[in-house]
């Protein structure tokens, strides 16, 4: 039987309407491109208008008000109750602690021409403590490292740096670990402290200095307070993470056995999180050492002051020798705390069992160390490091020789590279930012923030733009923004190139990761020295140093993101005949978008911090304003406003990139 099918046109009935087509919304890249094109078109018409430029010596009403506040506080410091009974007391306590530690290991005191513990005792203590918390290999490293500091002729400067670092770390941990435990136990406390920790870790190191000198004056006390504020967030965050990472089943088992809340904390949570907490101590020490060197700008004693003075006089040899000492100290402290963390983990798995020979040897080592400390307290030869720093003089001369050779033989290559990047990328972008009307740049930044990060990021950007205008340093802020963005682009080029290589090759990862880890423990000052020798005192020096300083963290984040792409997805692409290039560009990088955005976030924050430090070597803009504010009293208010502008740039970058990372990962 055949069934006739009537066509709609034959029956006169209408065919069912197709589903309505929805208008396809343009993608974010297209919207970003449209914003940039519109910006360029308006720039061509409005160039040079409403740029809000300000000469280096000019001040705004805000800057003068800051100067007046500084003068008023200085006049009332010894009569205002808030200072008499609060700020001055805090300063006195911190100053007393720092002075005590300095007189213990670095400075003469109590009627003695030498410290209480001389070099022999300090080296013995460093070796013994390293062995006790780690193992014999790290103890040898500590002894060799501290001895090398003396051979460089920088023993007292190194001990001053160590004294400030230990003082700041002690106070930071006394505050941070209990707060971290509290945040780990309480969801409410965790939600409250997390935004503050994010904000504190976003702020570049320079920013802490100027406000603190307003309340605590210039000197070791302000440097120590700035250091502990900067160093505390990692300990709080990592301790909270460690407590929250303990398996819930373990805590429930303790509760079911009748353990009290205190017993659960002391017998379960803290022992099981000890290794991670020690890692937090490691990060706190590294942050403190980096901040102590930067705090030389507010008269903190130690190696940082030597580096700053050498950079300001363009003495590459002296800067290199002191920078090498900072690196040696950073490596020793990092290795010791890392070994302590590993030992905590081993002890936890050993369930309290220790080698039978270890305790007697530790007792004998303690006796030997006590003898060395006694000798260094009693005899001058054991208190003052022998020699006149011949090794340091040789290092300085060698660095000067290499610098001269590089400037004579490599200047053509380095200058060509510098000029090409400056002329081809930095100058045009800086011109676009500084010569556009301020309202046009602000509108473009707000639009980009809203497109990339959502409406909340757009609102944050709008607030930051308005406050940047209010600082009176719009032009300098845009110059710093240009350097930061250019450096971040270079960081991401390196990050993606090396990160993909590491993510795809376990061998490359094993070879490069130790170098990247070592690079991350070096304070930012150290990166300026070699590039000062190659490129001279220019803003390009600060940019290249910022790239090298920020690249390690970006490379590792990209590498982890590429490695976390499911192997089955990569195998499917390979079986489909994709080339290596297609797998990387069409599979691994798109699936690692969240890691790429996070790497950009971290790269921006690191670069912003380093570009500002580059104010010491000719970077100009906000970095110069901050440095000038410390050295010239009439520019204090301008320097304080520049610090605020740096914070605003950091907050704006951080909010946009973090929001973009969340949207990408969603």
């Amino acid at each position: 039987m055949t069934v006739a099918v009537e066509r709609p046109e034959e029956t006169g009935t209408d065919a069912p309407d197709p589903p309505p087509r929805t208008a396809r919304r343009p993608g974010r890249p297209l919207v970003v491109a449209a914003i940039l094109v519109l910006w360029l078109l308006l720039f061509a018409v409005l160039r040079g208008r409403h740029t809000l430029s300000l000469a280096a010596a000019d001040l705004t009403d805000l800057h003068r008000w800051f100067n007046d506040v500084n003068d008023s506080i200085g006049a009332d410091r010894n009569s205002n109750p808030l200072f008499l009974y609060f700020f001055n007391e805090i300063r006195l306590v911190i100053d007393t602690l720092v002075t005590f530690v300095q007189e213990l290991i670095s400075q003469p005191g109590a009627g003695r021409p030498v410290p209480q513990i001389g070099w022999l005792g300090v080296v013995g203590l460093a070796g013994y403590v390293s062995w006790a918390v780690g193992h014999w290999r790290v103890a040898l490293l500590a002894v060799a490292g501290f001895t090398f500091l003396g051979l460089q002729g920088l023993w007292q400067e190194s001990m001053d740096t160590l004294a400030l670092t230990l003082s700041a770390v002690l106070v930071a941990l006394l505050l941070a670990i209990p707060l971290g435990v509290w945040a780990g136990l309480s969801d409410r406390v965790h939600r409250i402290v997390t935004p503050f920790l994010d904000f504190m870790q976003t702020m570049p190191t320079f920013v802490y200095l100027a406000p603190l000198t307003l309340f605590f004056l210039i000197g070791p006390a302000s440097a120590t307070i700035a250091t502990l504020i900067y160093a505390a967030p990692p300990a709080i965050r990592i301790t909270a993470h460690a407590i929250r990472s303990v398996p819930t089943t373990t805590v429930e088992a303790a509760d079911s056995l009748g353990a009290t809340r205190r017993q659960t904390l002391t017998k379960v949570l803290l022992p099981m999180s000890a290794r991670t907490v020690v890692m937090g101590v490691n990060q706190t020490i590294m942050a403190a050492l980096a901040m102590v060197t930067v705090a030389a700008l507010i008269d903190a004693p130690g190696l940082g002051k030597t580096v700053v003075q050498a950079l300001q006089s363009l003495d590459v040899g002296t800067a290199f020798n002191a920078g090498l000492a900072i690196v040696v100290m950073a490596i020793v402290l990092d290795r010791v705390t890392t070994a302590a963390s590993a030992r905590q983990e081993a002890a936890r798995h050993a369930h309290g069992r220790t080698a039978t020979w270890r305790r007697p040897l530790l007792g004998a080592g303690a006796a030997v160390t006590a003898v060395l400390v006694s000798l260094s307290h009693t005899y001058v030869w054991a208190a003052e490091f022998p020699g006149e720093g011949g090794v340091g003089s040789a290092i300085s001369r060698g660095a000067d020789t290499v610098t001269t050779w590089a400037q004579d033989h490599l200047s053509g290559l380095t200058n060509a590279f510098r000029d090409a990047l400056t002329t081809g990328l930095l100058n045009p972008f800086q011109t676009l930012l500084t010569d556009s009307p301020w309202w046009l740049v602000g509108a473009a930044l707000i639009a980009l923030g809203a497109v990339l990060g959502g409406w909340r990021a757009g609102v944050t950007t709008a607030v930051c733009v308005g406050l940047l205008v209010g600082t009176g340093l719009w032009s300098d802020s845009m110059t710093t923004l240009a350097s930061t963005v250019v450096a971040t682009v270079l960081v991401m080029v390196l990050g993606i190139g090396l990160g993909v290589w590491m993510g795809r090759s376990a061998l490359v990862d094993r070879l490069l990761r130790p170098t990247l880890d070592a690079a991350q423990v070096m304070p930012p000052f150290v990166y300026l020295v070699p590039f000062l020798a190659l490129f001279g005192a220019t803003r390009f020096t600060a940019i290249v140093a910022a790239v090298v300083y920020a690249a390690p963290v970006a490379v590792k984040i990209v590498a982890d993101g590429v490695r976390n792409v499911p192997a089955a997805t990569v195998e499917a692409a390979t079986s489909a005949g994709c080339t290596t290039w297609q797998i990387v560009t069409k599979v691994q990088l798109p699936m690692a978008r969240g890691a790429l955005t996070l790497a950009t976030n971290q790269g921006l924050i690191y670069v912003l911090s380093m570009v500002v430090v580059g104010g010491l070597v000719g970077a100009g803009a906000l970095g110069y304003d901050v440095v000038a504010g410390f050295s010239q009293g009439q520019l204090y208010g301008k320097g304080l406003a520049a610090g605020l502008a740096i914070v605003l740039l950091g907050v704006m970058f951080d909010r946009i990139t973090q929001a973009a990372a969340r949207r990408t990962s969603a």
Side-chain angles (χ1 to χ4, degrees):
M1 178 178 177
T2 303
V3 179
V5 179
E6 295 181 344
R7 297 180 181 273
E9 60 268 24
E10 294 174 351
T11 60
T13 60
D14 294 332
D17 294 333
R21 290 186 178 182
T22 57
R24 185 177 180 181
R25 298 177 62 183
R28 281 199 294 269
L30 186 60
V31 176
V32 169
I35 293 171
L36 295 177
V37 169
L38 181 60
W39 183 3
L40 289 172
L41 291 175
L42 292 175
F43 167 74
V45 177
L46 302 171
R47 180 174 182 176
R49 303 180 187 177
H50 309 123
T51 58
L52 301 182
S53 58
L54 186 71
D58 290 345
L59 302 177
T60 67
D61 291 339
L62 177 65
H63 307 158
R64 295 187 187 91
W65 183 77
F66 281 149
N67 284 339
D68 292 340
V69 170
N70 185 37
D71 294 339
S72 176
I73 288 177
D76 298 339
R77 188 176 301 278
N78 295 322
S79 58
N80 189 308
L82 184 61
F83 281 88
L84 282 175
Y85 303 110
F86 184 69
F87 291 118
N88 289 358
E89 291 298 320
I90 293 176
R91 183 173 182 271
L92 178 62
V93 170
I94 297 298
D95 214 13
T96 302
L97 174 63
V98 172
T99 301
F100 170 76
V101 180
Q102 283 184 302
E103 291 181 354
L104 195 65
I105 63 174
S106 67
Q107 296 286 345
R112 290 170 51 86
V114 292
Q116 297 291 331
I117 303 176
W119 75 270
L120 190 62
V122 172
V123 170
L125 281 170
Y128 178 73
V129 171
S130 302
W131 180 33
V133 302
H135 46 73
W136 64 270
R137 290 184 298 275
V138 78
L140 287 179
L141 174 66
V143 170
F146 274 69
T147 303
F148 183 71
L149 297 176
L151 294 175
Q152 288 182 275
L154 295 171
W155 180 260
Q156 182 170 325
E157 293 87 343
S158 301
M159 292 304 100
D160 278 330
T161 297
L162 182 63
L164 262 66
T165 302
L166 293 178
S167 301
V169 168
L170 175 63
V171 179
L173 293 180
L174 286 176
L175 299 173
I177 290 182
L179 184 56
V181 171
W182 193 14
L185 295 174
S186 170
D187 291 338
R188 177 180 296 177
V189 174
H190 188 262
R191 287 194 301 269
I192 292 172
V193 301
T194 297
F196 290 99
L197 298 179
D198 291 341
F199 179 72
M200 292 170 69
Q201 291 191 289
T202 301
M203 294 168 64
T205 52
F206 263 29
V207 175
Y208 292 92
L209 303 182
L212 288 172
T213 60
L214 190 65
F215 298 104
F216 300 106
L217 297 176
I218 288 177
S222 292
T224 305
I225 293 170
T227 300
L228 70 90
I229 292 174
Y230 181 71
I236 298 172
R237 191 186 296 274
I238 293 175
T239 301
H241 171 72
I243 296 295
R244 300 174 77 85
S245 298
V246 174
T248 306
T249 54
T250 305
V251 178
E252 291 173 350
D255 291 339
S256 66
L257 293 174
T260 64
R261 186 178 180 87
R262 182 185 182 88
Q263 290 173 326
T264 301
L265 175 63
T266 57
K267 302 295 184 182
V268 178
L269 293 173
L270 288 179
M272 293 191 69
S273 58
R275 180 177 186 271
T276 306
V277 172
V278 176
M279 288 175 58
V281 174
N282 170 277
Q283 293 300 302
T284 297
I285 292 174
M286 292 299 101
L289 181 59
M291 188 65 189
V292 162
T293 56
V294 174
L297 291 169
I298 56 172
D299 204 31
L303 295 168
K305 178 176 286 189
T306 304
V307 174
V308 169
Q309 292 173 347
L311 289 175
Q312 290 175 336
S313 61
L314 303 183
D315 185 353
V316 175
T318 301
F320 182 83
N321 187 43
L324 180 60
I326 295 172
V327 172
V328 169
M329 184 175 291
I331 290 174
V332 169
L333 295 177
D334 178 63
R335 292 299 92 195
V336 170
T337 49
T338 301
S341 175
R343 186 163 192 83
Q344 285 289 335
E345 181 70 8
R348 188 168 72 86
H349 288 299
H351 302 291
R353 296 190 304 273
T354 58
T356 56
W357 49 265
R358 182 170 174 81
R359 287 184 179 177
L361 284 181
L362 284 175
V368 172
T369 303
V371 171
L372 296 179
V373 170
S374 177
L375 290 173
S376 71
H377 180 78
T378 307
Y379 298 101
V380 175
W381 63 266
E384 294 180 347
F385 200 93
E388 298 180 356
V391 172
S393 299
I395 291 172
S396 297
R397 289 194 301 271
D400 286 333
T401 301
V402 171
T403 299
T404 302
W405 181 89
Q407 291 173 347
D408 291 341
H409 295 83
L410 300 179
S411 59
L413 180 63
T414 56
N415 290 344
F417 176 61
R418 179 191 65 197
D419 295 342
L421 189 60
T422 301
T423 305
L425 183 60
L426 180 59
N427 285 346
F429 186 49
Q430 181 173 314
T431 300
L432 176 65
L433 287 170
T434 57
D435 288 4
S436 293
W438 70 268
W439 52 265
L440 176 59
V441 179
L445 291 176
I446 294 168
L448 290 172
V451 171
L452 295 174
W455 69 268
R456 288 187 178 88
V459 171
T460 302
T461 304
V463 173
C464 291
V465 166
L467 293 176
L468 280 172
V469 173
T471 64
L473 296 171
W474 177 262
S475 182
D476 284 354
S477 299
M478 293 303 100
T479 301
T480 297
L481 175 61
S483 298
T484 302
V485 172
V486 168
T488 304
V489 170
L490 298 177
V491 166
M492 290 310 299
V493 170
L494 279 176
I496 293 174
L498 294 178
V500 169
W501 195 18
M502 288 175 61
R504 290 178 55 83
S505 171
L507 175 62
V508 174
D509 187 273
R510 285 196 301 271
L511 292 176
L512 289 184
R513 193 168 288 267
T515 303
L516 299 177
D517 291 339
Q520 282 193 273
V521 307
M522 291 193 289
F525 268 8
V526 176
Y527 290 89
L528 291 175
V529 178
F531 298 109
L532 177 64
L534 285 175
F535 301 107
T538 66
R539 58 179 177 167
F540 185 77
T541 300
I543 290 174
V544 177
V547 171
V548 177
Y549 176 61
V553 65
V555 170
K556 291 200 292 186
I557 292 173
V558 173
D560 292 340
V562 170
R563 189 179 301 107
N564 289 334
V565 173
T569 304
V570 178
E571 291 171 359
T574 304
S575 64
C578 293
T579 63
T580 301
W581 175 257
Q582 290 173 325
I583 292 174
V584 170
T585 57
K586 304 295 184 182
V587 179
Q588 291 177 313
L589 287 180
M591 295 189 69
R593 285 194 303 269
L596 294 178
T597 312
L598 179 60
T600 304
N601 170 271
Q602 292 299 297
L604 274 168
I605 300 305
Y606 274 68
V607 163
L608 181 61
S609 175
M610 190 64 190
V611 166
V612 174
V613 173
L616 292 168
V617 292
L622 295 178
Y624 171 80
D625 293 333
V626 174
V627 175
F630 291 130
S631 58
Q632 304 176 45
Q634 71 274 17
L635 296 179
Y636 177 85
K638 192 172 186 178
L640 196 60
L644 176 60
I646 294 165
V647 173
L648 294 171
L649 288 176
V651 170
M652 184 171 66
F653 286 147
D654 185 63
R655 292 300 95 187
I656 292 174
T657 50
Q658 282 205 25
R662 288 192 294 269
R663 294 182 70 180
T664 302
S665 302

